[in-house]
Amino acid sequence: QVQLVESGGGLVQAGDSLTLSCAGSGRAFSSYGIGWFSQPPGKDRDFVASISWGGRITYYVDSAKGRFAISRDSAKYTAYLQMNSLKPEDTAVYYCAALGSDVATMNPKVYYWGQGTQVTVSS
């Protein structure tokens, strides 16, 4: 089992940057792909980005390409989502998830979820 804890959310202005972190509970973290998902108020949870267990494959939803960057540090059992040029429509609760081996899809298999971190972007 893998426990995931997100951090780094907050209130920012449009155009600002924010980096979210997803800390895993131990070595098992390194065996999973990692994904980030967002859930705006009153809407469904949607895929944002993913990275393979070794970090060689990344995948993004179109709205995140060029603005967001996913990465991971295996030594720290932590994954990150760097978000730049934030827009009010990026306001959402962001969740990280432990994924299966196929991360190059907008509908990856999710094994574990974190509890989420709130990102609010004011105009």
Side-chain angles (χ1 to χ4, degrees):
Q1 186 173 358
V2 175
Q3 293 182 333
L4 304 172
V5 179
E6 302 94 334
S7 61
L11 173 62
V12 297
Q13 293 186 333
D16 285 352
S17 298
L18 205 58
T19 299
L20 306 182
S21 299
C22 173
S25 56
R27 292 182 179 180
F29 178 87
S30 300
S31 301
Y32 292 89
I34 296 296
W36 285 97
F37 297 75
S38 67
Q39 186 166 18
K43 296 185 179 181
D44 294 334
R45 189 177 304 185
D46 290 326
F47 172 86
V48 175
S50 58
I51 188 168
S52 59
W53 68 270
R56 294 177 61 185
I57 299 171
T58 58
Y59 192 74
Y60 298 90
V61 69
D62 285 346
S63 60
K65 292 178 181 177
R67 294 194 303 130
F68 294 1
I70 189 170
S71 62
R72 67 188 300 165
D73 185 333
S74 296
K76 296 182 178 179
Y77 307 134
T78 301
Y80 306 95
L81 184 67
Q82 171 72 41
M83 303 188 294
N84 300 317
S85 302
L86 283 162
K87 305 174 182 180
E89 51 264 43
D90 295 320
T91 294
V93 177
Y94 284 75
Y95 298 87
C96 70
L99 308 178
S101 59
D102 184 8
V103 299
T105 170
M106 291 181 60
N107 190 29
K109 181 176 177 60
V110 176
Y111 287 91
Y112 304 102
W113 290 100
Q115 86 289 348
T117 185
Q118 176 70 47
V119 172
T120 303
V121 184
S122 64
S123 57

